[in-house]
């Protein structure tokens, strides 16, 4: 994959997927003859705990929605008509380093990102919504389909720009729209999943691997097929991390380039981190929190 041309995305936010939550459990000694005050029917206690957890989750979710609203309030658009033949819209914030709006948007995106991670880090990625998100991201990387931007209820729908250099650009010599890096095969590494179905498009084939073992097998198979080309390299998309919580998701994508030599010499064509929201039966892109080359 190629590096992202659009380096003006909001960079101030870094993913923090290593948030550690420590819980201290206190043990108490009680007499068998005198049960602790408040002990009663275990079933009723479980109901109370579930209601407490549900109420807590709802409070955090309402905070997440407020953060989303503030991000949308501070955002504007830059349409990429001058950059691509198949333009998409780019959500941007103020470029003034002293801008309170930009600083606030960075804070809100960071807070929302961390909130989704903390609340959803233990959620399984083997769910229909999570699988749908992975299919959308893979299709976006292949430029087979692009996500719509998350907007307010009265906002016009806009498609995102191409990921990396996968879009079409004007060739100054031919004056035609051409792909800088046309992809007919997309190699991708996902987290370990069960019964995942790859996206289907007539002009793109997806070769998928799951986890470290899957990546190792994919590398071995690729370099065995290209043994006659010593300089061949394996470009692939890797979903490095993903968390889905309710109708929100945080996902990070890398685009490594592996050669035949040791992986320690691995190069990269960049990557990005995103926040998505599931609305009206589809995942929509809320913001691109970080890109790297």
């Amino acid at each position: 994959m190629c590096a992202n041309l659009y380096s003006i995305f909001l960079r101030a936010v870094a993913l923090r997927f290593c948030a550690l939550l420590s819980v201290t459990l206190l043990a108490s000694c009680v007499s068998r003859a005198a049960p602790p005050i408040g002990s009663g029917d275990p079933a009723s206690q479980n109901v109370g705990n579930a209601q407490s957890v549900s109420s807590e989750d709802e409070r955090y979710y309402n905070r997440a929605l407020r953060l989303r609203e503030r991000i949308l309030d501070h955002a504007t658009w830059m349409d990429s008509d001058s950059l691509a033949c198949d333009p998409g819209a780019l959500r941007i914030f103020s470029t003034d380093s002293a801008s309170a709006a930009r600083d606030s948007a960075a804070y809100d995106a960071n807070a929302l990102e961390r909130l989704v991670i903390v609340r959803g880090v233990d959620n399984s990625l083997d769910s229909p919504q999570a699988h749908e998100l992975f299919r959308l991201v893979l299709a976006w990387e292949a430029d087979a389909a692009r996500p719509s931007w998350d907007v307010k209820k009265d906002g016009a729908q806009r498609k995102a720009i191409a990921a990396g250099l996968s879009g079409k650009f004007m060739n100054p010599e031919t004056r035609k729209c051409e792909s800088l890096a046309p992809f007919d095969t997309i190699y991708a590494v996902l987290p370990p999943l069960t019964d995942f179905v790859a996206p289907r498009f007539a002009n793109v084939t997806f070769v998928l691997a799951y986890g470290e073992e899957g990546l190792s097998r994919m590398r071995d198979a690729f370099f065995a097929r290209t043994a006659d080309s010593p300089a061949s390299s394996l470009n692939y998309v890797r979903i490095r991390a993903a968390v889905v919580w309710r109708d929100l998701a945080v996902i990070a994508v890398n685009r490594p380039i592996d050669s035949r030599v040791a992986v320690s010499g691995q190069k990269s064509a960049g990557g990005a981190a995103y926040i998505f929201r599931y609305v009206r039966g589809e995942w929509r892109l809320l913001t691109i929190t970080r890109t790297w080359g």
Side-chain angles (χ1 to χ4, degrees):
M1 302 293 171
C2 300
N4 200 320
L5 284 179
Y6 308 100
S7 58
I8 63 175
F9 296 137
L10 182 63
R11 299 186 189 86
V13 184
L15 282 175
R16 294 176 174 86
F17 279 96
C18 297
L20 301 179
L21 304 178
S22 62
V23 179
T24 304
L25 301 179
L26 301 179
S28 59
C29 298
V30 296
S31 169
R32 292 185 179 180
I37 297 175
S39 65
D41 180 11
S44 65
Q45 290 181 352
N46 290 337
V47 170
N49 291 338
Q51 290 174 341
S52 176
V53 170
S54 177
S55 176
E56 179 186 44
D57 199 64
E58 197 66 24
R59 288 196 301 272
Y60 281 114
Y61 180 65
N62 288 333
R63 171 166 166 72
L65 293 183
R66 291 194 296 272
L67 289 168
R68 168 188 172 268
E69 286 292 327
R70 295 204 318 224
I71 290 171
L72 295 179
D73 286 341
H74 291 138
T76 186
W77 299 105
M78 184 185 81
D79 290 307
S80 56
D81 300 294
S82 61
L83 300 177
C85 297
D86 50 353
L90 172 61
R91 173 165 283 155
I92 60 173
F93 302 91
S94 174
T95 57
D96 181 0
S97 61
S99 167
R102 189 212 60 178
D103 293 342
S104 177
Y107 172 85
D108 291 340
N110 182 47
L112 178 56
E113 190 177 63
R114 294 178 64 183
L115 180 55
V116 173
I117 292 168
V118 170
R119 299 303 300 177
V121 68
D122 292 327
N123 291 347
S124 171
L125 295 177
D126 267 322
S127 69
Q129 278 191 331
H131 285 202
E132 186 176 341
L133 176 62
F134 295 146
R135 280 191 287 271
L136 174 61
V137 170
L138 292 179
W140 190 16
E141 290 289 331
D143 203 30
R146 299 185 191 179
S148 296
W149 284 98
D150 184 23
V151 294
K152 294 185 176 182
K153 288 183 178 180
D154 57 349
Q157 285 301 301
R158 297 170 183 256
K159 291 291 185 180
I161 60 173
L165 297 181
S166 59
K168 292 182 173 62
F169 296 82
M170 179 63 69
N171 184 325
E173 296 181 358
T174 64
R175 304 304 299 172
K176 294 181 179 180
C177 292
E178 300 176 5
S179 296
L180 293 184
F183 304 114
D184 56 6
T185 301
I186 296 292
Y187 292 87
V189 180
L190 292 87
L193 300 173
T194 303
D195 298 328
F196 178 75
V197 178
R200 294 186 175 92
F201 297 95
N203 58 339
V204 181
T205 299
F206 291 91
V207 178
L208 304 181
Y210 303 93
E212 292 297 332
E213 292 184 3
L215 171 59
S216 180
R217 290 193 296 269
M218 186 173 74
R219 292 184 80 257
D220 291 345
F222 176 84
F223 290 118
R225 287 195 305 270
T226 59
D228 296 335
S229 303
S232 61
S233 59
L234 172 62
N235 296 25
Y236 58 97
V237 175
R238 182 162 194 183
I239 296 180
R240 293 292 303 184
V243 174
V244 177
W245 172 57
R246 296 183 66 147
D247 59 358
L248 294 161
V250 171
I251 188 165
V253 178
N254 280 351
R255 305 181 187 105
I257 304 174
D258 285 5
S259 63
R260 292 184 183 276
V261 299
V263 178
S264 59
Q266 182 187 76
K267 298 180 180 179
S268 172
Y274 312 105
I275 299 176
F276 281 89
R277 182 167 181 254
Y278 194 81
V279 57
R280 297 182 181 179
E282 66 175 2
W283 284 105
R284 295 183 183 177
L285 180 63
L286 175 59
T287 185
I288 302 172
T289 57
R290 186 164 62 120
T291 62
W292 54 90

